Amino acid sequence: MTKPKPLFHTLLLILPIIALFPSSPESRRLPFLGKHSLLHKPTNNIINSNYTYEIRYFQQTLDHFSFDDRPKFPQRYLINTDHWAGPSRMGPIFLYCGNEGDIEWFAVNSGFVWELAPSFGALVIFPEHRYYGESMPYGSRDEAYKNASTLAHLTAEQALADYAVLITDLKRNLSAEASPVILFGGSYGGMLAAWMRLKYPHIAIGALAASAPILQFEDIVPLETFYNIVSNDFRRESTSCFDTIKKSWAVITSVGQKVNGLDHLAETFHLCGKLKSTYDLSNWLDSAYSYLAMVDYPYPSDFLMPLPAYPIKEVCKEIDRSADGTNVLDQIFKGVSVYYNYTGEADCFDLDDDPHGMSGWDWQACTEMVMPMSSDKNSSMFPEWAYNYTSYAEECFNNFGVKPRPTWITTEFGGHDYKSVLKTFGSNIIFSNGLLDPWSGGSVLENISDSVVALVTEEGAHHLDLRAATADDPDWLVAQRASEVKLIKGWIDDYYTTKKSVFNM
Amino acid sequence: MTKPKPLFHTLLLILPIIALFPSSPESRRLPFLGKHSLLHKPTNNIINSNYTYEIRYFQQTLDHFSFDDRPKFPQRYLINTDHWAGPSRMGPIFLYCGNEGDIEWFAVNSGFVWELAPSFGALVIFPEHRYYGESMPYGSRDEAYKNASTLAHLTAEQALADYAVLITDLKRNLSAEASPVILFGGSYGGMLAAWMRLKYPHIAIGALAASAPILQFEDIVPLETFYNIVSNDFRRESTSCFDTIKKSWAVITSVGQKVNGLDHLAETFHLCGKLKSTYDLSNWLDSAYSYLAMVDYPYPSDFLMPLPAYPIKEVCKEIDRSADGTNVLDQIFKGVSVYYNYTGEADCFDLDDDPHGMSGWDWQACTEMVMPMSSDKNSSMFPEWAYNYTSYAEECFNNFGVKPRPTWITTEFGGHDYKSVLKTFGSNIIFSNGLLDPWSGGSVLENISDSVVALVTEEGAHHLDLRAATADDPDWLVAQRASEVKLIKGWIDDYYTTKKSVFNM
């Protein structure tokens, strides 16, 4: 029996993983590689057959902003018109902004959109992000990911233009030019939804941007924010758990330096193969803690891994339960086993199981999506680490032959002085966040105006609100979703009113 | 003594010129060539030494939206900080969005911006549009205009991103991040100003878009609009003038078909060389009428050519004065001589005097800026002509090896349903237009909301309001500029108020 593996993961998390362990040779070689990511399609047990859709392909322009002669590529999208009120009644269109992965996986994990559609009489469409899933330029993933020149057009602006072109064409074909479009998105997809609302107000009248860290650029938020939130998620469950994790890094380093130390560590952590460096192990543990913070959901879930409700509480229980002051590593192993082996099916763990080499998000992080992160000695349970752009850029150049443009995202989409800008010139955006989610620190957490609204839940984690309703949903989650529905309904009502008044102008 | 020539012309007008005479072999060869355009720098008599500026160059990214490895290029910009209130007082920045030509020419013809700066304590910056003037990628104009691949990045979106990157960098260097930016622009530059305001609200708080035909795409306005306005400008001065021009086309064709007919025409119109086809002559006449409509200013001017006040009135006087019912061609010659030879210095005229081959606007018209135009048999004084996209696209492909994207501009910037969109999601844009200007038909002529405002003057022509004040300015022009100043002042005041309230949030 092989080890279980995360079905997928939100690649946004890749960056912090390396940021913390940059000095190992591995990190220099593959600074942003999502070692634990799988780009496979979801397995059957995840696909909820309640969401039915047709799969279609659109011949998409590769470069919207220049006229270099490049081949079009087939952009995949999922569409469901079952509940649509149709063009004559200006039935709305719900568009999920596909993010960095297979669009079917996002579709099945965004039950909220599907559940909302019938009552709104909405058409549902999930377009896939270019260079992910099946939406590959140049005929195949191998060709698309060949080098910096073929990857050149994997950018957020091109992806937004894809959605704009696709939905414009679709609406024209359906004679549905007057149907209002509502955007949805989580994580990077939430960033795309918010940005699309700002950049294409003629195409979409509102956006639900769930867990969208649009401020995680340059110095807009403190660089320590992400790891501080992860750390606080553990500390709130148990101070001793936090302390144990905090001191474990030094123990790992120390043990690893001893004779046969790496073998001892491999044995302690039930690794399938040899451990090549303590970096690999630390990286693996960092992943677990960070992902746990993202998916610290109030009920059992299997978004990234099969997990119990409030999994950090369970991890800390395990760590604290076996505390006797001497075997820190055993404690840590028992803790992370909740994450990596909740079903108990794994006999051993493989730290290096990504067969894909370069991932798309690595490229994006090395070009536009430069999200600086540090770890603070005092407030974090992780090792101290200060962000260094120079070495970041060097590693990007070594890996991809590309130079990042670290200030481009805020130039193109804004970010600095966002309160003034959104208050005065933005409208119809919901920024939803759960404060357990480490990405929440890079999002908008205050109401900006009547129509740029922050819905914040103390106990929520990474875009929990986009998931399907369950019988275990706590009241605050039910209330959050109800607020979202009410706001979206308001946008659509306003739209119909404006249409009417302009018609009479 | 050589013939006088138009110092420059607004390339936006190139399209209609050919649209009307598509069947000649010349038109098939050079469908959009601006035969009468000069890309030279303005001569000294035009430069008003009251506008002083420093000339600087910014190393600009060629492709903002992909990471293809391309060389940066030096973007020229003019800057004046003499009257700036400075960063500590959040002194405003006036940014003119350079359009399709040498930026110094636009600077000297946009006196309004310079005259406004002192009272606003504003810094003034005129960045040049890529691929025009001195702002050439690949080292030189010849290299930049070599082929479709080198021209590929001559697009409006890239130009807007240039301005965004440049101003962001400049503000950072001046520690002036908090200074509000006001955009100005006329004609295509006005379109850029309006679009930049919509797309980059975090960068500019408002835009004066003078004579900006942002609706001259697809079928948003009737295709006959442009030529109908030109025609009406002549009819309002004199019905007989209109009638004479209307019947002259057939006379030209008929004479041209006779033995020695082309020689006869060349003699009648005082051409310096041989006339190769009646198309060339008709094109030359069409240019005169269309430009006259654009610059039908209420006082003597030398924007395109040295001209008297209300030049169409003078043209029609000449045409009507010599009317005896027989010599239509003589009448026409005397009329257009007002345009081509007002100073009386020309002994003969050269119809084909553009040494530049491809112009940048031709490329833009063959890629994004597809502005369909027709001429209506009944309402126009021009020959009947129905727009045909298929042949348009064919000629573009023949000339540049490029396929137009005729629906891209409205997808990227909007246009359809613009009243709803601007009313709900736009703010702080002035669309100023004079109804004599044939481009006014493709602009926004109604107030959309309190802050998206149309300032329309019955007697105004092409972005007259951007020109320097003169002693001859009629009251309505003085009033129009006063309204603009009041609105701009309101935007800046609102900005300071918002900054204050957000600061206290």
CSV table of all heavy atoms in Angstrom, one decimal, chain A residues 53-101:
chain,number,residue,atom,x,y,z
A,53,TYR,N,-22.3,19.3,-15.5
A,53,TYR,CA,-21.9,20.4,-16.4
A,53,TYR,C,-21.5,19.7,-17.7
A,53,TYR,O,-21.1,18.6,-17.8
A,53,TYR,CB,-20.8,21.2,-15.9
A,53,TYR,CG,-19.6,20.5,-15.2
A,53,TYR,CD1,-18.7,19.8,-16.0
A,53,TYR,CD2,-19.5,20.4,-13.9
A,53,TYR,CE1,-17.6,19.1,-15.5
A,53,TYR,CE2,-18.5,19.7,-13.3
A,53,TYR,CZ,-17.5,19.0,-14.1
A,53,TYR,OH,-16.5,18.3,-13.5
A,54,GLU,N,-21.5,20.6,-18.8
A,54,GLU,CA,-21.0,20.2,-20.1
A,54,GLU,C,-19.6,20.7,-20.2
A,54,GLU,O,-19.3,21.8,-19.7
A,54,GLU,CB,-21.9,20.8,-21.1
A,54,GLU,CG,-21.7,20.3,-22.5
A,54,GLU,CD,-22.5,21.1,-23.5
A,54,GLU,OE1,-23.6,21.6,-23.2
A,54,GLU,OE2,-22.0,21.3,-24.7
A,55,ILE,N,-18.7,20.0,-20.8
A,55,ILE,CA,-17.3,20.4,-21.0
A,55,ILE,C,-17.2,20.9,-22.4
A,55,ILE,O,-17.5,20.2,-23.3
A,55,ILE,CB,-16.3,19.3,-20.7
A,55,ILE,CG1,-16.4,18.9,-19.2
A,55,ILE,CG2,-14.9,19.8,-21.0
A,55,ILE,CD1,-15.5,17.7,-18.9
A,56,ARG,N,-16.7,22.2,-22.5
A,56,ARG,CA,-16.5,22.7,-23.9
A,56,ARG,C,-15.2,23.3,-24.0
A,56,ARG,O,-14.5,23.5,-23.0
A,56,ARG,CB,-17.6,23.8,-24.2
A,56,ARG,CG,-19.0,23.3,-24.2
A,56,ARG,CD,-19.9,24.5,-24.7
A,56,ARG,NE,-21.3,24.2,-24.4
A,56,ARG,CZ,-22.3,25.1,-24.5
A,56,ARG,NH1,-21.9,26.4,-24.8
A,56,ARG,NH2,-23.5,24.9,-24.2
A,57,TYR,N,-14.8,23.6,-25.2
A,57,TYR,CA,-13.5,24.2,-25.5
A,57,TYR,C,-13.7,25.5,-26.4
A,57,TYR,O,-14.5,25.5,-27.3
A,57,TYR,CB,-12.5,23.2,-26.2
A,57,TYR,CG,-12.2,22.1,-25.3
A,57,TYR,CD1,-13.1,21.0,-25.2
A,57,TYR,CD2,-11.1,22.0,-24.5
A,57,TYR,CE1,-12.9,19.9,-24.4
A,57,TYR,CE2,-10.9,21.0,-23.6
A,57,TYR,CZ,-11.7,19.9,-23.6
A,57,TYR,OH,-11.5,18.8,-22.7
A,58,PHE,N,-12.9,26.5,-26.0
A,58,PHE,CA,-13.0,27.8,-26.8
A,58,PHE,C,-11.6,28.1,-27.4
A,58,PHE,O,-10.6,28.0,-26.7
A,58,PHE,CB,-13.4,28.9,-25.8
A,58,PHE,CG,-13.5,30.3,-26.5
A,58,PHE,CD1,-14.6,30.6,-27.3
A,58,PHE,CD2,-12.5,31.2,-26.3
A,58,PHE,CE1,-14.7,31.8,-27.9
A,58,PHE,CE2,-12.6,32.5,-26.9
A,58,PHE,CZ,-13.7,32.8,-27.7
A,59,GLN,N,-11.6,28.4,-28.7
A,59,GLN,CA,-10.3,28.7,-29.3
A,59,GLN,C,-9.9,30.1,-28.9
A,59,GLN,O,-10.4,31.1,-29.3
A,59,GLN,CB,-10.4,28.6,-30.8
A,59,GLN,CG,-10.5,27.2,-31.4
A,59,GLN,CD,-9.2,26.4,-31.0
A,59,GLN,OE1,-8.1,26.8,-31.2
A,59,GLN,NE2,-9.5,25.2,-30.4
A,60,GLN,N,-8.9,30.1,-28.0
A,60,GLN,CA,-8.6,31.4,-27.3
A,60,GLN,C,-7.3,32.0,-27.9
A,60,GLN,O,-6.4,31.3,-28.2
A,60,GLN,CB,-8.4,31.1,-25.8
A,60,GLN,CG,-8.2,32.2,-24.9
A,60,GLN,CD,-9.4,33.2,-24.9
A,60,GLN,OE1,-9.4,34.2,-25.6
A,60,GLN,NE2,-10.4,32.9,-24.1
A,61,THR,N,-7.3,33.3,-27.9
A,61,THR,CA,-6.1,34.1,-28.3
A,61,THR,C,-5.0,33.9,-27.3
A,61,THR,O,-5.3,34.1,-26.1
A,61,THR,CB,-6.5,35.5,-28.5
A,61,THR,OG1,-7.4,35.6,-29.6
A,61,THR,CG2,-5.3,36.4,-28.9
A,62,LEU,N,-3.8,33.6,-27.7
A,62,LEU,CA,-2.7,33.5,-26.7
A,62,LEU,C,-2.2,34.8,-26.1
A,62,LEU,O,-1.9,34.9,-25.0
A,62,LEU,CB,-1.6,32.7,-27.3
A,62,LEU,CG,-0.4,32.4,-26.4
A,62,LEU,CD1,-0.9,31.6,-25.1
A,62,LEU,CD2,0.7,31.5,-27.1
A,63,ASP,N,-2.1,35.8,-27.0
A,63,ASP,CA,-1.6,37.1,-26.6
A,63,ASP,C,-2.6,38.2,-26.9
A,63,ASP,O,-2.7,38.6,-28.1
A,63,ASP,CB,-0.2,37.4,-27.2
A,63,ASP,CG,0.4,38.6,-26.6
A,63,ASP,OD1,-0.3,39.3,-25.8
A,63,ASP,OD2,1.6,38.9,-26.9
A,64,HIS,N,-3.4,38.6,-25.9
A,64,HIS,CA,-4.4,39.6,-26.2
A,64,HIS,C,-3.9,41.0,-26.4
A,64,HIS,O,-4.5,41.8,-26.9
A,64,HIS,CB,-5.4,39.6,-25.0
A,64,HIS,CG,-6.2,38.3,-24.8
A,64,HIS,ND1,-7.2,38.0,-25.6
A,64,HIS,CD2,-6.0,37.3,-24.0
A,64,HIS,CE1,-7.7,36.8,-25.2
A,64,HIS,NE2,-6.9,36.4,-24.2
A,65,PHE,N,-2.7,41.2,-25.9
A,65,PHE,CA,-2.2,42.6,-25.9
A,65,PHE,C,-1.1,42.9,-26.9
A,65,PHE,O,-0.4,43.9,-26.8
A,65,PHE,CB,-1.7,42.9,-24.4
A,65,PHE,CG,-2.7,42.6,-23.4
A,65,PHE,CD1,-2.7,41.4,-22.6
A,65,PHE,CD2,-3.8,43.4,-23.3
A,65,PHE,CE1,-3.7,41.2,-21.7
A,65,PHE,CE2,-4.8,43.2,-22.3
A,65,PHE,CZ,-4.8,42.0,-21.5
A,66,SER,N,-0.8,41.9,-27.7
A,66,SER,CA,0.1,42.2,-28.9
A,66,SER,C,-0.4,41.4,-30.1
A,66,SER,O,-1.3,40.6,-29.9
A,66,SER,CB,1.5,41.9,-28.6
A,66,SER,OG,1.8,40.6,-29.0
A,67,PHE,N,0.2,41.7,-31.2
A,67,PHE,CA,-0.3,41.0,-32.4
A,67,PHE,C,0.8,40.2,-33.0
A,67,PHE,O,0.9,40.0,-34.2
A,67,PHE,CB,-0.8,42.1,-33.4
A,67,PHE,CG,-2.2,42.6,-33.1
A,67,PHE,CD1,-2.3,43.5,-32.1
A,67,PHE,CD2,-3.3,42.0,-33.6
A,67,PHE,CE1,-3.6,44.0,-31.7
A,67,PHE,CE2,-4.6,42.4,-33.3
A,67,PHE,CZ,-4.7,43.4,-32.3
A,68,ASP,N,1.6,39.7,-32.1
A,68,ASP,CA,2.6,38.6,-32.5
A,68,ASP,C,1.8,37.5,-33.0
A,68,ASP,O,0.7,37.1,-32.5
A,68,ASP,CB,3.4,38.2,-31.3
A,68,ASP,CG,4.9,38.3,-31.6
A,68,ASP,OD1,5.3,38.7,-32.7
A,68,ASP,OD2,5.7,37.9,-30.7
A,69,ASP,N,2.2,36.8,-34.1
A,69,ASP,CA,1.5,35.7,-34.7
A,69,ASP,C,1.7,34.4,-33.9
A,69,ASP,O,2.7,33.8,-34.1
A,69,ASP,CB,1.9,35.6,-36.1
A,69,ASP,CG,1.0,34.6,-36.8
A,69,ASP,OD1,-0.2,34.5,-36.4
A,69,ASP,OD2,1.4,34.0,-37.8
A,70,ARG,N,0.8,34.1,-33.0
A,70,ARG,CA,0.9,32.9,-32.2
A,70,ARG,C,-0.3,32.1,-32.3
A,70,ARG,O,-1.4,32.6,-32.5
A,70,ARG,CB,1.1,33.3,-30.7
A,70,ARG,CG,2.4,34.0,-30.5
A,70,ARG,CD,2.8,34.1,-29.0
A,70,ARG,NE,4.0,34.9,-28.8
A,70,ARG,CZ,5.2,34.4,-28.4
A,70,ARG,NH1,5.3,33.1,-28.2
A,70,ARG,NH2,6.2,35.2,-28.3
A,71,PRO,N,-0.2,30.8,-32.2
A,71,PRO,CA,-1.3,29.9,-32.4
A,71,PRO,C,-2.4,30.1,-31.2
A,71,PRO,O,-2.0,30.3,-30.1
A,71,PRO,CB,-0.7,28.5,-32.4
A,71,PRO,CG,0.5,28.6,-31.6
A,71,PRO,CD,1.0,30.0,-31.9
A,72,LYS,N,-3.6,29.9,-31.6
A,72,LYS,CA,-4.7,29.9,-30.6
A,72,LYS,C,-4.5,28.6,-29.8
A,72,LYS,O,-3.9,27.7,-30.2
A,72,LYS,CB,-6.0,30.0,-31.2
A,72,LYS,CG,-6.2,31.4,-31.9
A,72,LYS,CD,-7.7,31.7,-32.1
A,72,LYS,CE,-7.9,33.1,-32.5
A,72,LYS,NZ,-9.2,33.7,-32.2
A,73,PHE,N,-5.2,28.6,-28.6
A,73,PHE,CA,-5.2,27.3,-27.8
A,73,PHE,C,-6.6,27.0,-27.3
A,73,PHE,O,-7.4,27.9,-27.2
A,73,PHE,CB,-4.2,27.5,-26.6
A,73,PHE,CG,-4.7,28.4,-25.5
A,73,PHE,CD1,-5.4,27.9,-24.4
A,73,PHE,CD2,-4.4,29.8,-25.6
A,73,PHE,CE1,-5.8,28.8,-23.4
A,73,PHE,CE2,-4.9,30.6,-24.6
A,73,PHE,CZ,-5.5,30.1,-23.5
A,74,PRO,N,-6.9,25.8,-27.1
A,74,PRO,CA,-8.2,25.4,-26.6
A,74,PRO,C,-8.4,25.7,-25.1
A,74,PRO,O,-7.7,25.0,-24.3
A,74,PRO,CB,-8.3,23.9,-27.0
A,74,PRO,CG,-6.9,23.4,-26.9
A,74,PRO,CD,-6.0,24.6,-27.3
A,75,GLN,N,-9.2,26.6,-24.8
A,75,GLN,CA,-9.5,26.9,-23.4
A,75,GLN,C,-10.7,26.0,-23.0
A,75,GLN,O,-11.7,26.2,-23.6
A,75,GLN,CB,-9.7,28.3,-23.1
A,75,GLN,CG,-10.1,28.6,-21.7
A,75,GLN,CD,-10.3,30.1,-21.4
A,75,GLN,OE1,-10.6,30.9,-22.3
A,75,GLN,NE2,-10.1,30.5,-20.1
A,76,ARG,N,-10.5,25.2,-22.0
A,76,ARG,CA,-11.6,24.4,-21.5
A,76,ARG,C,-12.5,25.2,-20.6
A,76,ARG,O,-12.1,26.0,-19.8
A,76,ARG,CB,-11.1,23.2,-20.7
A,76,ARG,CG,-12.1,22.3,-20.2
A,76,ARG,CD,-11.6,20.9,-19.8
A,76,ARG,NE,-10.6,21.0,-18.7
A,76,ARG,CZ,-10.4,20.1,-17.8
A,76,ARG,NH1,-11.1,19.0,-17.8
A,76,ARG,NH2,-9.5,20.3,-16.8
A,77,TYR,N,-13.8,24.9,-20.7
A,77,TYR,CA,-14.7,25.5,-19.7
A,77,TYR,C,-15.9,24.6,-19.4
A,77,TYR,O,-16.3,23.8,-20.3
A,77,TYR,CB,-15.2,26.9,-20.1
A,77,TYR,CG,-16.0,27.0,-21.3
A,77,TYR,CD1,-17.4,27.2,-21.2
A,77,TYR,CD2,-15.5,27.1,-22.6
A,77,TYR,CE1,-18.2,27.3,-22.4
A,77,TYR,CE2,-16.3,27.2,-23.7
A,77,TYR,CZ,-17.6,27.3,-23.6
A,77,TYR,OH,-18.4,27.5,-24.7
A,78,LEU,N,-16.4,24.7,-18.2
A,78,LEU,CA,-17.5,23.9,-17.8
A,78,LEU,C,-18.8,24.8,-17.8
A,78,LEU,O,-18.7,25.9,-17.3
A,78,LEU,CB,-17.3,23.3,-16.4
A,78,LEU,CG,-15.9,22.9,-16.0
A,78,LEU,CD1,-15.8,22.4,-14.6
A,78,LEU,CD2,-15.5,21.7,-17.0
A,79,ILE,N,-19.9,24.3,-18.3
A,79,ILE,CA,-21.0,25.1,-18.4
A,79,ILE,C,-22.3,24.4,-18.0
A,79,ILE,O,-22.4,23.2,-18.3
A,79,ILE,CB,-21.2,25.8,-19.8
A,79,ILE,CG1,-22.3,26.8,-19.8
A,79,ILE,CG2,-21.3,24.7,-20.9
A,79,ILE,CD1,-22.3,27.7,-21.1
A,80,ASN,N,-23.2,25.1,-17.3
A,80,ASN,CA,-24.5,24.5,-17.0
A,80,ASN,C,-25.6,25.5,-17.2
A,80,ASN,O,-25.5,26.6,-16.6
A,80,ASN,CB,-24.5,24.0,-15.5
A,80,ASN,CG,-25.8,23.3,-15.1
A,80,ASN,OD1,-26.9,23.9,-15.3
A,80,ASN,ND2,-25.8,22.2,-14.5
A,81,THR,N,-26.5,25.2,-18.0
A,81,THR,CA,-27.6,26.2,-18.3
A,81,THR,C,-29.0,25.7,-17.7
A,81,THR,O,-30.0,26.3,-18.0
A,81,THR,CB,-27.7,26.4,-19.8
A,81,THR,OG1,-28.0,25.1,-20.4
A,81,THR,CG2,-26.5,27.0,-20.4
A,82,ASP,N,-28.9,24.6,-17.0
A,82,ASP,CA,-30.2,24.0,-16.5
A,82,ASP,C,-31.1,24.9,-15.8
A,82,ASP,O,-32.4,24.9,-16.0
A,82,ASP,CB,-29.9,22.8,-15.5
A,82,ASP,CG,-29.2,21.7,-16.2
A,82,ASP,OD1,-29.1,21.7,-17.4
A,82,ASP,OD2,-28.7,20.8,-15.5
A,83,HIS,N,-30.6,25.8,-15.0
A,83,HIS,CA,-31.5,26.7,-14.2
A,83,HIS,C,-31.6,28.1,-14.7
A,83,HIS,O,-32.1,29.0,-14.1
A,83,HIS,CB,-30.9,26.7,-12.8
A,83,HIS,CG,-30.8,25.4,-12.2
A,83,HIS,ND1,-31.9,24.6,-11.8
A,83,HIS,CD2,-29.7,24.6,-11.9
A,83,HIS,CE1,-31.4,23.4,-11.4
A,83,HIS,NE2,-30.1,23.4,-11.4
A,84,TRP,N,-31.0,28.3,-15.9
A,84,TRP,CA,-30.8,29.7,-16.4
A,84,TRP,C,-32.2,30.3,-16.8
A,84,TRP,O,-33.0,29.6,-17.5
A,84,TRP,CB,-29.9,29.7,-17.6
A,84,TRP,CG,-29.5,31.1,-18.0
A,84,TRP,CD1,-29.3,32.2,-17.2
A,84,TRP,CD2,-29.2,31.5,-19.4
A,84,TRP,NE1,-28.9,33.3,-18.0
A,84,TRP,CE2,-28.8,32.9,-19.3
A,84,TRP,CE3,-29.3,30.9,-20.6
A,84,TRP,CZ2,-28.5,33.7,-20.4
A,84,TRP,CZ3,-28.9,31.7,-21.7
A,84,TRP,CH2,-28.5,33.0,-21.6
A,85,ALA,N,-32.5,31.5,-16.3
A,85,ALA,CA,-33.7,32.2,-16.7
A,85,ALA,C,-33.7,32.6,-18.2
A,85,ALA,O,-34.8,33.0,-18.7
A,85,ALA,CB,-34.0,33.4,-15.8
A,86,GLY,N,-32.6,32.6,-18.8
A,86,GLY,CA,-32.5,32.9,-20.2
A,86,GLY,C,-32.3,34.3,-20.5
A,86,GLY,O,-32.4,35.2,-19.7
A,87,PRO,N,-32.0,34.6,-21.8
A,87,PRO,CA,-31.7,36.0,-22.2
A,87,PRO,C,-32.8,37.0,-22.1
A,87,PRO,O,-32.7,38.1,-21.7
A,87,PRO,CB,-31.2,35.8,-23.7
A,87,PRO,CG,-31.7,34.5,-24.1
A,87,PRO,CD,-31.9,33.7,-22.9
A,88,SER,N,-34.0,36.5,-22.4
A,88,SER,CA,-35.2,37.5,-22.5
A,88,SER,C,-35.5,38.0,-21.1
A,88,SER,O,-35.9,39.1,-20.9
A,88,SER,CB,-36.4,36.8,-23.0
A,88,SER,OG,-36.8,35.7,-22.2
A,89,ARG,N,-35.2,37.2,-20.1
A,89,ARG,CA,-35.4,37.7,-18.7
A,89,ARG,C,-34.1,38.2,-18.1
A,89,ARG,O,-34.0,38.4,-16.9
A,89,ARG,CB,-36.0,36.6,-17.9
A,89,ARG,CG,-37.5,36.3,-18.3
A,89,ARG,CD,-38.0,35.0,-17.7
A,89,ARG,NE,-38.0,35.0,-16.3
A,89,ARG,CZ,-38.0,33.8,-15.5
A,89,ARG,NH1,-38.0,32.7,-16.2
A,89,ARG,NH2,-38.0,33.9,-14.2
A,90,MET,N,-33.1,38.4,-18.9
A,90,MET,CA,-31.8,38.8,-18.4
A,90,MET,C,-31.3,37.9,-17.3
A,90,MET,O,-30.8,38.5,-16.2
A,90,MET,CB,-31.8,40.3,-18.0
A,90,MET,CG,-32.0,41.2,-19.2
A,90,MET,SD,-31.6,43.0,-18.8
A,90,MET,CE,-33.2,43.5,-18.1
A,91,GLY,N,-31.4,36.6,-17.4
A,91,GLY,CA,-31.0,35.7,-16.4
A,91,GLY,C,-29.5,35.9,-16.1
A,91,GLY,O,-28.7,36.0,-17.1
A,92,PRO,N,-29.1,35.9,-14.9
A,92,PRO,CA,-27.7,36.2,-14.6
A,92,PRO,C,-26.7,35.1,-15.0
A,92,PRO,O,-27.2,33.9,-15.2
A,92,PRO,CB,-27.6,36.4,-13.1
A,92,PRO,CG,-28.9,35.9,-12.5
A,92,PRO,CD,-29.9,35.8,-13.7
A,93,ILE,N,-25.5,35.4,-15.1
A,93,ILE,CA,-24.4,34.4,-15.4
A,93,ILE,C,-23.4,34.4,-14.2
A,93,ILE,O,-22.9,35.5,-13.8
A,93,ILE,CB,-23.7,34.8,-16.7
A,93,ILE,CG1,-24.7,34.7,-17.9
A,93,ILE,CG2,-22.5,33.9,-16.9
A,93,ILE,CD1,-24.2,35.1,-19.2
A,94,PHE,N,-23.2,33.2,-13.6
A,94,PHE,CA,-22.2,33.1,-12.6
A,94,PHE,C,-20.9,32.6,-13.2
A,94,PHE,O,-20.9,31.5,-13.7
A,94,PHE,CB,-22.7,32.1,-11.5
A,94,PHE,CG,-23.8,32.7,-10.6
A,94,PHE,CD1,-24.4,31.9,-9.6
A,94,PHE,CD2,-24.3,34.0,-10.7
A,94,PHE,CE1,-25.4,32.4,-8.8
A,94,PHE,CE2,-25.3,34.5,-9.9
A,94,PHE,CZ,-25.9,33.7,-9.0
A,95,LEU,N,-19.9,33.3,-13.1
A,95,LEU,CA,-18.6,33.0,-13.7
A,95,LEU,C,-17.6,32.8,-12.6
A,95,LEU,O,-17.2,33.7,-11.9
A,95,LEU,CB,-18.2,34.0,-14.7
A,95,LEU,CG,-17.0,33.7,-15.6
A,95,LEU,CD1,-17.0,34.6,-16.8
A,95,LEU,CD2,-15.6,33.9,-14.9
A,96,TYR,N,-17.1,31.6,-12.5
A,96,TYR,CA,-16.0,31.3,-11.5
A,96,TYR,C,-14.7,31.5,-12.2
A,96,TYR,O,-14.4,30.9,-13.3
A,96,TYR,CB,-16.1,29.9,-11.0
A,96,TYR,CG,-15.0,29.6,-10.0
A,96,TYR,CD1,-15.2,29.8,-8.6
A,96,TYR,CD2,-13.7,29.2,-10.4
A,96,TYR,CE1,-14.1,29.5,-7.7
A,96,TYR,CE2,-12.7,29.0,-9.5
A,96,TYR,CZ,-12.9,29.1,-8.2
A,96,TYR,OH,-11.9,28.9,-7.3
A,97,CYS,N,-13.8,32.4,-11.7
A,97,CYS,CA,-12.5,32.6,-12.3
A,97,CYS,C,-11.6,31.5,-12.0
A,97,CYS,O,-11.0,31.5,-10.8
A,97,CYS,CB,-12.0,34.0,-11.8
A,97,CYS,SG,-13.0,35.4,-12.2
A,98,GLY,N,-11.4,30.6,-12.9
A,98,GLY,CA,-10.5,29.5,-12.7
A,98,GLY,C,-9.1,29.9,-12.2
A,98,GLY,O,-8.6,30.9,-12.7
A,99,ASN,N,-8.6,29.1,-11.2
A,99,ASN,CA,-7.2,29.5,-10.8
A,99,ASN,C,-6.2,28.4,-11.2
A,99,ASN,O,-6.4,27.7,-12.2
A,99,ASN,CB,-7.2,29.9,-9.3
A,99,ASN,CG,-8.2,29.3,-8.4
A,99,ASN,OD1,-9.4,29.1,-8.8
A,99,ASN,ND2,-7.8,29.0,-7.2
A,100,GLU,N,-5.2,28.3,-10.4
A,100,GLU,CA,-4.0,27.6,-10.8
A,100,GLU,C,-4.2,26.1,-10.6
A,100,GLU,O,-3.5,25.4,-9.9
A,100,GLU,CB,-2.8,28.1,-10.0
A,100,GLU,CG,-2.7,27.7,-8.5
A,100,GLU,CD,-3.6,28.5,-7.6
A,100,GLU,OE1,-4.6,29.0,-8.1
A,100,GLU,OE2,-3.3,28.5,-6.4
A,101,GLY,N,-5.1,25.5,-11.4
A,101,GLY,CA,-5.2,24.0,-11.4
A,101,GLY,C,-6.3,23.6,-12.3
A,101,GLY,O,-6.9,24.4,-13.0
